[in-house]
Amino acid sequence: MSSPISSSQEPSSMVAEVNMGTDPCSPVIRATVVQASSVFYDTPATMDKAERLIADAAGLGSQLVVFPEGFIAIAVPGPEVERLAALAGKYKIYLVMGVIEKDEYTLYCTVLFFDSQGCYLGKHRKIMPTALERLVWGFGDASTTPVFETPIGKIGSVICWENRMPLLRTAMYAKGIEIYCAPTADCSDTWQATMNHIALEGGCFVLSAIQFCQRKDYPPPPEYTLSGTDDDLSPDSVACRGGSVIISPLGTVLAGPNHEGEGLLTADLDLGEIARAKFDFDVVGHYSRPDLLSLVVKDDPLSPVTFKSGKSEKLKQEPCWINKAQF
């Protein structure tokens, strides 16, 4: 468990030392899951907080840092994306960042990926917003369900209750995902069972990042109320209790779940565990029955308007940006 939060509200850190007894020649990478609140309605302050958290994780020797769902609301591409890329390069980490993406007049719940050289790799847009989120967010499509092959493993992300969609999970397994990032806002006890199941089902490491929010993290009323809570909230009342966790392909909890406060959950991931897990159960390999059950994924971009000539004129100049085609 994480140590108590200081009065400055900077997150504590926790490093799990777990001897999995695997091949000493297999790659081992250190990963950190961030459990922290955004600075609501203040993007610059949230960016500054993200940099402090990234620096702290890098100080622990982490090569991969995963943030919660919807941590920052930004345009993609945009200056904040450029800054996140620069931070990944500065601290030599792979960065998985949950954002609310503003694309013209539509919002998407999105995860952005950056490599340790400071390059933007791409994004995943949530294909099914959860519950009432459908009133606010747009729907992604399967063209943004990437799994990136990197020197530290094959990295991808599935957001919140997308993780309850077995066909989407199967598509990610078929892409060879090894480090399965699951940012969410679900702080329930049942979420832990979901994460453990995915680790076993997919034979992959599961890293779930959840915000920890208190009443004092939000602007003052009366502009809104916190549903499902008592009327007599104190500044320290918990609105989202976290529950971030890191789980191995064999179902071992390597770090977390943390329900105590903001913190950094860090663990060493022995990628040799993946082969050991797949030997027992490979859901898209020797444990599949494509003669009986199969899946077709329509991964072409879906657009409400298609110009058959292919000669439609762009009305705005695209920014000069490294890997801009990935947006």
Side-chain angles (χ1 to χ4, degrees):
M1 291 193 175
S2 299
S3 58
I5 303 174
S6 66
S7 58
S8 64
Q9 291 298 303
E10 289 300 316
S12 58
S13 61
M14 175 175 62
V15 178
E17 299 293 342
V18 179
N19 182 5
M20 303 296 291
T22 56
D23 183 354
C25 296
S26 62
V28 177
I29 68 116
R30 178 160 286 194
T32 289
V33 165
V34 173
Q35 177 163 296
S37 171
S38 305
V39 183
F40 289 95
Y41 303 122
D42 193 334
T43 297
T46 301
M47 289 293 299
D48 290 342
K49 183 173 184 177
E51 179 167 6
R52 293 194 300 270
L53 293 165
I54 290 169
D56 290 344
L60 297 172
S62 293
Q63 298 154 276
L64 170 67
V65 182
V66 181
F67 275 77
E69 178 183 15
F71 192 75
I72 309 173
I74 58 176
V76 181
E80 291 84 8
V81 180
E82 295 180 13
R83 183 177 175 188
L84 290 171
L87 290 174
K90 175 181 178 180
Y91 293 101
K92 305 301 180 187
I93 53 107
Y94 283 81
L95 176 61
V96 178
M97 174 63 72
V99 306
I100 302 303
E101 175 192 359
K102 295 184 286 187
D103 183 3
E104 298 293 345
Y105 303 104
T106 301
L107 300 176
Y108 296 94
C109 184
T110 299
V111 164
L112 306 181
F113 300 86
F114 304 88
D115 71 13
S116 60
Q117 303 303 307
C119 294
Y120 168 82
L121 298 176
K123 67 187 175 186
H124 165 54
R125 282 178 172 173
K126 195 174 188 178
I127 66 170
M128 177 54 69
T130 302
L132 293 178
E133 293 172 358
R134 297 172 207 173
L135 301 177
V136 181
W137 293 342
F139 291 65
D141 59 44
S143 69
T144 63
T145 54
V147 172
F148 298 101
E149 187 165 1
T150 77
I152 65 169
K154 298 176 182 178
I155 303 170
S157 180
V158 179
I159 306 169
C160 198
W161 280 13
E162 287 185 321
N163 287 280
R164 295 185 176 187
M165 301 173 71
L167 300 184
L168 177 57
R169 297 199 308 266
T170 302
M172 300 300 282
Y173 303 151
K175 292 185 177 186
I177 192 168
E178 296 174 333
I179 302 175
Y180 185 113
C181 303
T184 186
D186 188 341
C187 58
S188 67
D189 292 333
T190 56
W191 182 254
Q192 303 301 320
T194 298
M195 295 296 95
N196 194 274
H197 173 78
I198 291 172
L200 291 169
E201 179 182 67
C204 52
F205 288 95
V206 173
L207 286 67
S208 184
I210 310 173
Q211 292 199 33
F212 183 92
C213 306
Q214 294 174 281
R215 180 63 186 82
K216 60 190 174 185
D217 295 320
Y218 295 85
E223 287 81 3
Y224 63 92
T225 59
L226 294 175
S227 62
T229 59
D230 297 331
D231 293 334
D232 56 343
L233 292 175
S234 73
D236 292 326
S237 295
V238 175
C240 181
R241 68 188 187 114
S244 301
V245 69
I246 302 176
I247 303 175
S248 83
L250 294 176
T252 302
V253 176
L254 303 180
N258 174 13
H259 291 293
E260 295 186 350
E262 292 194 338
L264 302 179
L265 281 70
T266 300
D268 293 330
L269 314 184
D270 185 341
L271 300 189
E273 283 293 302
I274 295 172
R276 181 170 294 183
K278 298 280 192 183
F279 182 81
D280 286 338
F281 183 84
D282 184 356
V283 70
V284 291
H286 62 80
Y287 225 92
S288 65
R289 286 295 306 273
D291 54 327
L292 303 178
L293 305 167
S294 62
L295 171 65
V296 176
V297 180
K298 301 176 182 178
D299 59 358
D300 293 325
L302 300 179
S303 174
V305 179
T306 301
F307 296 93
K308 288 189 176 181
S309 69
K311 298 179 180 179
S312 59
E313 182 180 357
K314 292 186 178 180
L315 299 180
K316 63 179 181 180
Q317 183 178 358
E318 293 183 355
C320 180
W321 173 251
I322 188 167
N323 286 351
K324 65 181 179 182
Q326 294 293 336
F327 289 100

